[in-house]
Amino acid sequence: MPSPRHDALNRLIRDHLDLPIRLLREVGGIELPTGGPLWVGPGDLRDRISREMHADTVVFAGPPQDRWFSTIVEVETEMSEQKLRQTVEAAEILRLETRKPVYVIFITPDPCAARFTKPVEIISGCLEITMQHVIVGPDRIPVLTDPNQMAADLLTAALSVMAHGQLPEVAEAFVKLLTDLPDDDAASLFGYTIDMASPQARRLLEETVTTYVPEHSPWAQNLYRKGRAAGREEGRQEGWQEGWRVGDARGRAMEKVASVFTVLRFRGIDIPPARHMQITTCTDLALLEIWLRRALEATHIDDLFDDGSGPEPRS
């Protein structure tokens, strides 16, 4: 089953189709035509004897009626020879289908990715197929430690956190970058990147967000304003206003509650009424902090809790 990191990186690619083309040029040194439309094609590839293969993302360049070339983009948490050989076959199927050049790029956080850069050869009788693919691993992704550098290229910033987010200076620069972005851009970039990061980097990002974002970030203040507005809509106007006006324990608890709800909603996670009430009525700061950290990587509301008491069973 694909991991959140795998899905997040594929979402990033599908939302920014120029990214794999840029990487082919900049990392692979491949000359490609420019100026034409880019569009996502079907990733399910089938040869004449009905063997079906699936590519993570296939990007076509040029007019649909006369494509210039195709690019297979594979997201791999861990590179393997088996995956390389499977992709050779997928690329050959796509070439036979389109009769146009096909390029293959792997984007991976695997620290051992450089071992797999040599061409892959498949020899069968008198036929020989060679794939000269491009691998974008941690060694080919810059370590960005300056928010201004990151602001100049947000996509590279996201990749830098994916590959090097375990470094405090990278995590700090990224979190500071968020404070200078428009709210929607910050939320979108944060959503991609927190899912793409390694567990170690994700924990560091969480700690860095806790340190920097509440005090210095207009983006965070906007999130908290949304949390307070949601609280007012749900009939807790006085409690929210009091929580944000004074620095007592209840106020800090409500601040954490707002943060938990905001992160969950930005991640598109449904909050059943029973869980909503459980979070809202909690005044334990330590427990709320645990829930907030878990919300940053949760895929279901029950991922926040370890009491086994889920009010509503997963479907």
Side-chain angles (χ1 to χ4, degrees), residues 42-313:
D44 294 320
L45 307 173
R46 182 177 299 170
D47 64 14
R48 292 179 180 271
I49 58 174
S50 297
R51 288 182 308 164
E52 189 171 291
M53 310 190 74
H54 181 78
D56 284 341
T57 300
V58 176
V59 179
F60 293 124
Q65 67 276 14
D66 186 22
R67 307 170 198 171
W68 297 342
F69 63 89
S70 306
T71 301
I72 294 178
V73 186
E74 292 288 346
V75 176
E76 291 298 311
T77 301
E78 184 176 345
M79 295 294 300
S80 68
E81 291 288 348
Q82 179 183 8
K83 182 59 180 181
L84 288 173
R85 298 181 74 83
Q86 288 175 348
T87 308
V88 172
E89 296 180 6
E92 179 59 11
I93 292 172
L94 187 56
R95 188 195 68 81
L96 289 171
E97 176 187 333
T98 63
R99 303 293 175 176
K100 298 290 184 178
V102 176
Y103 299 95
V104 174
I105 181 169
F106 291 89
I107 303 178
T108 177
D110 188 347
C112 299
R115 295 170 41 208
F116 299 93
T117 55
K118 65 181 181 180
V120 180
E121 295 183 351
I122 295 181
I123 300 174
S124 179
C126 64
L127 297 177
E128 180 176 335
I129 301 173
T130 301
M131 180 178 73
Q132 179 63 73
H133 51 284
V134 174
I135 292 184
V136 181
D139 62 319
R140 305 307 301 269
I141 297 173
V143 180
L144 299 181
T145 60
D146 182 345
N148 293 325
Q149 286 181 304
M150 290 187 170
D153 189 342
L154 297 181
L155 298 181
T156 300
L159 293 179
S160 186
V161 177
M162 178 195 75
H164 311 295
Q166 72 280 3
L167 300 176
E169 56 269 32
V170 173
E172 182 176 327
F174 179 72
V175 171
K176 289 180 177 178
L177 164 70
L178 296 177
T179 68
D180 295 327
L181 293 178
D183 297 336
D184 290 344
D185 292 345
S188 176
L189 186 63
F190 180 78
Y192 289 129
T193 308
I194 196 71
D195 280 344
M196 287 160 47
S198 67
Q200 180 184 358
R202 192 178 298 123
R203 286 192 295 270
L204 183 56
L205 281 172
E206 295 165 7
E207 295 170 1
T208 308
V209 166
T210 301
T211 300
Y212 287 97
V213 171
E215 293 184 6
H216 306 298
S217 173
W219 167 62
Q221 293 305 315
N222 182 67
L223 295 185
Y224 295 143
R225 281 195 297 273
K226 289 182 179 179
R228 294 198 301 277
R232 287 193 295 272
E233 291 171 4
E234 292 156 8
R236 289 180 295 278
Q237 181 175 8
E238 182 178 350
W240 281 109
Q241 290 174 340
E242 180 68 8
W244 284 92
R245 188 171 61 249
V246 299
D248 61 8
R250 180 60 179 167
R252 292 192 298 273
M254 297 308 290
E255 184 175 314
K256 289 289 186 185
V257 167
S259 300
V260 171
F261 282 137
T262 298
V263 173
L264 289 172
R265 286 166 180 149
F266 267 109
R267 291 180 59 75
I269 295 174
D270 292 332
I271 309 173
R275 286 303 196 191
H276 194 286
M277 181 61 68
Q278 183 178 0
I279 296 171
T280 301
T281 57
C282 180
T283 58
D284 185 332
L285 288 174
L287 182 57
L288 286 167
E289 178 67 24
I290 291 172
W291 290 349
L292 177 59
R293 291 173 183 272
R294 290 176 179 173
L296 290 167
E297 57 182 330
T299 58
H300 188 279
I301 185 64
D302 289 345
D303 292 338
L304 270 64
F305 310 95
D306 56 10
D307 55 11
S309 64
E312 295 188 8

